[in-house]
Amino acid sequence: LELMERTDEDTAGRFEALSDEIREMIIDRASLNGGPFASNLGTVEIILALCHVFDFKKDKIVFDIGQQYQPYKILTGRKDEFYSLGKRGGLTRYPSIRESEYDHFTTGHSGTSVSAALGYAVNNPNRKSVAFMGDGSLTSGEIFEALNHAGALQANLLVILNRNAWSIDRNVGALADGTTLEAFSRSLKFTYVKAEDGHDVQALIRQLETIRNINTPVFLHVETIKGKGYDPAERDPGLFHHVFSSFNRESGELLPSVHEWFSDAMTVLNTFSGRCMEYAAEFHDVYFTTPAYMMGGLRSVKQAFPGHVIDTGINEQHCMTFSSALRLAGSRVVMNIASFFIPRCYDQILDLCIQKIPLVVFVCFPGIRASSCPTHQGYFDMSALRTFPNMTLLHPAGAEELGRMLDWAMERADGPIFIHAATENCMVQAEEPIVRARGLTLFSGGDVTIVPVGSLLNAAFYIRNKMLDTGIEIFYPRFLVPFDYDSLAASVRKTGRLVILEEGVREGGIGEGILSYLSENQIECRVKILSPPSQFIESAEWDEVYEDSGMNQEDLLNAFKAFMGP
Ligand SMILES: Cc1ncc(C[n+]2csc(CCOP(=O)(O)OP(=O)(O)O)c2C)c(N)n1
């Protein structure tokens, strides 16, 4: 907090020293423990100026996503805990109203900043409400809705657009080059102010002091450099946007991830990329679309086949409807979206299903493996997607299976097909072709049936190997929807016991679907569903989340033994 004290005799030198100190902490911490990175180096001066001019105990600020707000954490009393960011029990990666009275809205998903800041502005017109966003966030529909609303209300709102020309990858959209931002904001009845050098704290302070006295909407366009002050990040802001491992500070070299599963996840994404490149080489009319999530396997595809990849910006709703119509019009389309952003286009998926449009949707980073904080959890979408009529939902056990499923899906034309990325690279020996609504019995046994969802097949193999005296039948479903209930029924009629290893949240999951099927068809058997906990997880490192959720192989083995009894 000492950094926030206002002293009128602040000199340029003192601000520079402060900026250096903050940058140093950001670089040093990220090099040790990864997480959101390059965006934070670009916002040091503007956040410093904001904290100097406003008092965010009384004024409000909402950071869009929050991947750029680490300087704010440091300046608002969290400096000493900064190195705990992203660790179990430590600071959250994104803003959290539960963490600090200076965080006014919990974020992590793009598009909410202006709406939230506007809510505060209407509640208290006498204090400044600030929405802080990057130019990537300006591709988000909710932002447009809120700006339109705010302009009409003439609220006491400051919208800061931190323009660095990057989203995670290069930013897209008609506003991306920055030249029309003035006309755009004025058309929405905002006063437009531009800060040419977003790294000149003194100039920023002067501009903010003027803006403080304007109590109608102001749009402050600040030009910054993403990765500022750390050469490797300035050179490749995409790579350093979010660092998944530690890195060597001197060379900028990313060190191998300590998370074993992460290399598996990369193998799976590479399989997706490889298939996309094959399709692009074969079909002139194939498109790969994504709402600003090129890191889900499309970067290399874009390099090799730029004309086939369409990044729509951070707009899951738009991307889903656009991709649906592109498919309906006759092109082949594979849309790529992260599991935790599926809720953003729930309604558009309904439209897709109602029309039975054969769009292929690749859902990357699903399951508890990919979860690391409350806003980025990959285990909710299975329950949501299961409920849509006309849906086909595939959840592969590994990279090979993913490849087979993608090939199968590209040949179909009878409705939407969602395919999850596998969360581990588990080998399914069977070369059996994919048949709709058909699962595979991989091992036969007479005592108990295990149904592993997706890569939990690995855990099923583990349990079987540890319990060779028990007759374990492993039924790997392949399709979550439509589910192969007939084969399952035959198996449990034989064994009388069923253990479901669920990769999504229990509520509405495949396990509950199976329970309801068994009950309606009066098939008697003892059932145990082993699933991730039904709760938002707190920030932690991946392996910690996995451990805490009771889903590692040893935990599952113990739960299985307890179910089987002595
Ligand atoms: C709804 C939603 N979709 C996708 C993302 C993934 N995402 C996180 S940061 C980011 C890029 C943000 O770019 P920008 O707003 O320009 O800020 P910068 O990091 O460049 O400062 C994206 C796409 C997200 N957080 N929320």
Side-chain angles (χ1 to χ4, degrees):
L1 272 177
E2 90 229 35
L3 300 180
M4 278 192 56
E5 274 169 25
R6 290 151 190 235
T7 48
D8 291 336
E9 67 278 12
D10 273 328
T11 61
R14 283 192 53 195
F15 279 119
E16 218 169 87
L18 253 180
S19 307
D20 289 350
E21 197 187 327
I22 294 170
R23 244 186 209 100
E24 165 60 28
M25 281 182 82
I26 290 168
I27 298 169
D28 197 47
R29 191 214 60 79
S31 75
L32 298 172
N33 196 33
F37 176 46
S39 320
N40 298 284
L41 297 175
T43 56
V44 174
E45 285 79 11
I46 175 68
I47 289 179
L48 203 53
L50 277 163
C51 288
H52 185 70
V53 173
F54 296 102
D55 172 359
F56 290 116
K57 260 192 182 166
K58 297 185 180 123
D59 299 302
K60 307 292 178 195
I61 186 163
V62 180
F63 289 91
D64 213 78
I65 305 172
Q67 86 291 2
Q68 76 292 64
Y69 104 123
Q70 288 168 19
Y72 185 77
K73 269 201 198 288
I74 294 171
L75 287 166
T76 52
R78 289 168 274 184
K79 181 178 160 217
D80 294 341
E81 301 151 273
F82 187 63
Y83 280 78
S84 73
L85 190 142
K87 296 191 170 175
R88 194 197 260 138
L91 296 181
T92 56
R93 290 193 180 86
Y94 300 96
S96 163
I97 55 169
R98 282 174 45 206
E99 180 175 291
S100 164
E101 58 187 330
Y102 285 99
D103 288 2
H104 302 293
F105 206 78
T106 297
T107 50
H109 290 201
S110 172
T112 57
S113 59
V114 181
S115 307
L118 186 58
Y120 277 114
V122 167
N123 179 65
N124 185 358
N126 298 321
R127 300 298 306 202
K128 189 63 84 191
S129 276
V130 183
F132 189 108
M133 69 170 127
D135 48 329
S137 286
L138 194 57
T139 60
S140 178
E142 192 180 349
I143 294 279
F144 279 70
E145 295 166 25
L147 289 173
N148 193 27
H149 188 196
L153 293 182
Q154 286 297 295
N156 187 0
L157 179 76
L158 167 60
V159 171
I160 298 185
L161 180 76
N162 171 43
R163 202 194 83 93
N164 56 26
W166 289 82
S167 183
I168 295 178
D169 294 85
R170 279 244 166 242
N171 196 24
V172 299
L175 293 168
D177 69 7
T179 56
T180 47
L181 287 172
E182 178 168 3
F184 170 72
S185 58
R186 285 191 198 280
S187 77
L188 292 165
K189 302 187 175 139
F190 278 65
T191 302
Y192 174 84
V193 181
K194 184 169 182 188
E196 293 285 354
D197 179 0
H199 302 295
D200 179 345
V201 197
Q202 300 281 6
L204 290 169
I205 288 175
R206 281 193 298 275
Q207 281 177 311
L208 288 173
E209 279 172 345
T210 309
I211 290 169
R212 190 172 51 193
N213 299 321
I214 307 175
N215 55 16
T216 51
V218 176
F219 190 95
L220 174 61
H221 163 182
V222 185
E223 284 284 322
T224 62
I225 296 166
K226 189 159 177 170
K228 170 85 177 166
Y230 184 61
D231 279 352
E234 278 192 41
R235 277 198 303 273
D236 195 343
L239 184 65
F240 286 94
H241 172 86
H242 187 119
V243 186
F244 290 98
S245 60
S246 51
F247 59 90
N248 178 321
R249 270 197 68 158
E250 305 317 314
S251 64
E253 182 201 357
L254 297 177
L255 303 171
S257 172
V258 288
H259 309 286
E260 250 176 60
W261 73 272
F262 190 73
S263 62
D264 270 20
M266 290 302 115
T267 308
V268 171
L269 287 189
N270 289 339
T271 301
F272 171 74
S273 313
R275 282 304 206 277
C276 291
M277 289 196 239
E278 283 173 24
Y279 305 145
E282 193 179 344
F283 307 118
H284 72 279
D285 61 347
V286 66
Y287 290 103
F288 308 102
T289 60
T290 179
Y293 221 66
M294 300 286 294
M295 63 193 276
L298 287 178
R299 276 183 182 150
S300 53
V301 186
K302 177 149 188 177
Q303 265 170 6
F305 297 93
H308 289 269
V309 177
I310 303 176
D311 176 355
T312 58
I314 311 178
N315 37 44
E316 288 74 13
Q317 300 184 331
H318 162 61
C319 190
M320 183 59 73
T321 303
F322 166 75
S323 307
S324 301
L326 190 62
R327 180 69 185 95
L328 193 59
S331 301
R332 292 164 218 262
V333 187
V334 181
M335 175 173 159
N336 185 320
I337 180 170
S339 163
F340 26 84
F341 300 131
I342 287 270
R344 279 290 170 106
C345 50
Y346 190 86
D347 189 49
Q348 288 69 20
I349 299 175
L350 273 177
D351 289 343
L352 176 75
C353 291
I354 288 169
Q355 298 174 82
K356 287 186 99 173
I357 298 170
L359 178 69
V360 178
V361 180
F362 175 69
V363 183
C364 55
F365 300 110
I368 192 149
R369 279 293 196 195
S371 304
S372 57
C373 53
T375 50
H376 290 65
Q377 287 183 234
Y379 55 87
F380 291 129
D381 79 72
M382 278 184 242
S383 296
L385 294 174
R386 268 193 70 236
T387 62
F388 293 107
N390 300 335
M391 170 63 73
T392 297
L393 176 59
L394 290 144
H395 191 67
E400 272 184 26
E401 276 282 281
L402 169 65
R404 282 181 208 126
M405 289 175 179
L406 282 166
D407 291 346
W408 178 84
M410 291 302 281
E411 297 290 313
R412 305 265 93 64
D414 48 2
I417 301 176
F418 282 57
I419 307 177
H420 279 125
T423 57
E424 287 177 41
N425 190 16
C426 169
M427 296 300 214
V428 177
Q429 298 296 345
E431 287 288 315
E432 319 242 338
I434 308 276
V435 178
R436 187 176 164 79
R438 188 73 58 78
L440 299 176
T441 302
L442 297 181
F443 285 99
S444 295
D447 296 331
V448 56
T449 306
I450 300 186
V451 176
V453 172
S455 303
L456 288 171
L457 182 55
N458 266 344
F461 288 156
Y462 180 79
I463 293 171
R464 189 178 170 278
N465 285 340
K466 294 279 175 187
M467 310 249 333
L468 288 172
D469 293 342
T470 309
I472 295 179
E473 179 143 312
I474 298 182
F475 178 69
Y476 160 59
R478 269 187 170 161
F479 286 74
L480 297 190
V481 182
F483 194 84
D484 184 356
Y485 286 117
D486 291 346
S487 302
L488 178 79
S491 177
V492 296
R493 280 203 171 97
K494 179 175 65 175
T495 61
R497 275 188 282 216
L498 173 63
V499 174
I500 300 155
L501 307 182
E502 181 81 89
E503 211 171 10
V505 72
R506 183 189 165 106
E507 284 69 20
I510 192 60
E512 288 196 352
I514 291 171
L515 281 184
S516 126
Y517 169 85
L518 295 174
S519 147
E520 288 211 358
N521 291 279
Q522 283 135 45
I523 300 170
E524 281 191 22
C525 75
R526 285 181 55 210
V527 187
K528 182 80 191 161
I529 301 174
L530 300 174
S531 68
S534 306
Q535 64 191 44
F536 291 111
I537 52 154
E538 293 305 321
S539 284
E541 292 184 53
W542 282 302
D543 289 349
E544 295 170 345
V545 170
Y546 207 59
E547 248 174 71
D548 294 349
S549 64
M551 294 303 288
N552 66 35
Q553 295 187 345
E554 212 48 46
D555 289 335
L556 293 173
L557 174 65
N558 290 334
F560 178 83
K561 282 182 181 161
F563 171 71
M564 294 301 286

